[in-house]
Amino acid sequence: MANENLQAARKAKKDEFYTQLADIESELKHYKEHFQGKTVLCNCDDPRVSNFFHYFSYNFERLGLKKLITTCYKNQNRDLFSQNDSEQAIYLEYYGDKDGDRVPNPEEIGVKRLKGDGDFRSAECIELLKQADIVVTNPPFSLFREYVAQLMEYKKKFLIIGNVNAITYKETFKLIKENQLWMGASIHSGDREFGIPDDYPLNAASCRIDENGKKYIRVKGVRWFTNLDYPERHENLILYKNYNPDEYPKYDNYDAINVDKTADIPMDYDGAMGVPITFLDKYNPEQFEILGIDRYIKDNPHYGHRFKINNKEIYARILIRKIKK
């Protein structure tokens, strides 16, 4: 049901989910050393409901931040930015605690007006982006390609949430293959709960409403996407299975074997292997080489199409090969 609702949300462009504080804390603990002396930008966040603003403002001193910037979108299209209903777009600047209580009080937070609507693509928001060292937020899933392209254009470090299927986007996968983007540390399976606006198009049975009347939905297949390194990313995947042709059939239309589960990658096969996109949760760039993704690998005789087994097309596969030591 949650995935069906996600698809409906995409069609309606109601895909602005509000990340839970616990999920932010679970991920950010892997990157503490990256934030010392840095300016952080959360540019898809209404600070009234954003747990990203909450996390960074309350942990400003512990992380050793230089500055925190948060932009608030002025609502002109409730189908896209459903809860950002400020009469005027604003941005906040926070330079840390001034009175010693370690709490971001209103008088310590600079509130400034934006001339435009606060869209991350606007010229004045791009100027704020230029000031930032690291961008951390949950951008609208429907704008993921455009959002990542902007981060790469301005050479920014980032930690953002997206749908796992974004891995299969041609533009995103190119960055993964070139080791410019990878999966985060904390979400490798299952689903996550997000806050949603009151007017979100859901059946009452498909979401949770807490004691304060706030609505939540569980969404499958979300991941953190980042270019911040962390130690766990360089741990080898332990391989234990041996290759046999019956268990690992070759594709009809490409010279590679099929591996249905990352845990089943054979330890004694040195050729090309097609693995699920969730392989990237365990990917160590020192252990495996990424050759491409099925639809867009150059020597695919049916370029643009997925691989087949027994004339049946299978879901997306990443082509990998073990790196010989």
Side-chain angles (χ1 to χ4, degrees), residues 187-295:
I187 303 178
H188 290 163
S189 63
D191 51 11
R192 289 296 184 275
E193 189 173 69
F194 290 84
I196 51 175
D198 293 337
D199 63 345
Y200 200 87
L202 296 177
N203 296 323
S206 65
C207 65
R208 176 177 71 87
I209 302 177
D210 70 11
E211 63 276 9
N212 298 314
K214 293 183 178 180
K215 295 171 67 176
Y216 299 88
I217 183 175
R218 298 199 73 85
V219 179
K220 293 183 179 180
V222 295
R223 292 293 190 277
W224 290 95
F225 293 78
T226 188
N227 57 0
L228 299 173
D229 209 358
Y230 56 94
E232 295 88 345
R233 182 172 169 256
H234 301 279
E235 295 176 354
N236 277 349
L237 175 65
I238 304 301
L239 306 177
Y240 68 96
K241 297 196 71 170
N242 291 306
Y243 168 74
N244 72 74
D246 293 329
E247 187 174 357
Y248 301 98
K250 284 198 171 185
Y251 300 115
D252 300 346
N253 50 343
Y254 197 81
D255 186 17
I257 64 170
N258 181 65
V259 181
D260 282 326
K261 297 180 180 179
T262 299
D264 292 341
I265 294 174
M267 61 183 176
D268 55 350
Y269 190 84
D270 295 326
M273 299 174 278
V275 295
I277 61 174
T278 51
F279 159 80
L280 293 176
D281 293 330
K282 303 292 184 180
Y283 171 52
N284 174 356
E286 288 87 43
Q287 184 181 17
F288 294 99
E289 174 189 7
I290 292 179
L291 306 175
I293 193 165
D294 50 10
R295 292 173 62 187

Side-chain angles (χ1 to χ4, degrees), residues 287-307:
Q287 184 181 17
F288 294 99
E289 174 189 7
I290 292 179
L291 306 175
I293 193 165
D294 50 10
R295 292 173 62 187
Y296 302 119
I297 195 161
K298 290 181 179 179
D299 56 346
N300 180 354
H302 302 285
Y303 188 83
H305 296 275
R306 303 209 184 279
F307 294 152

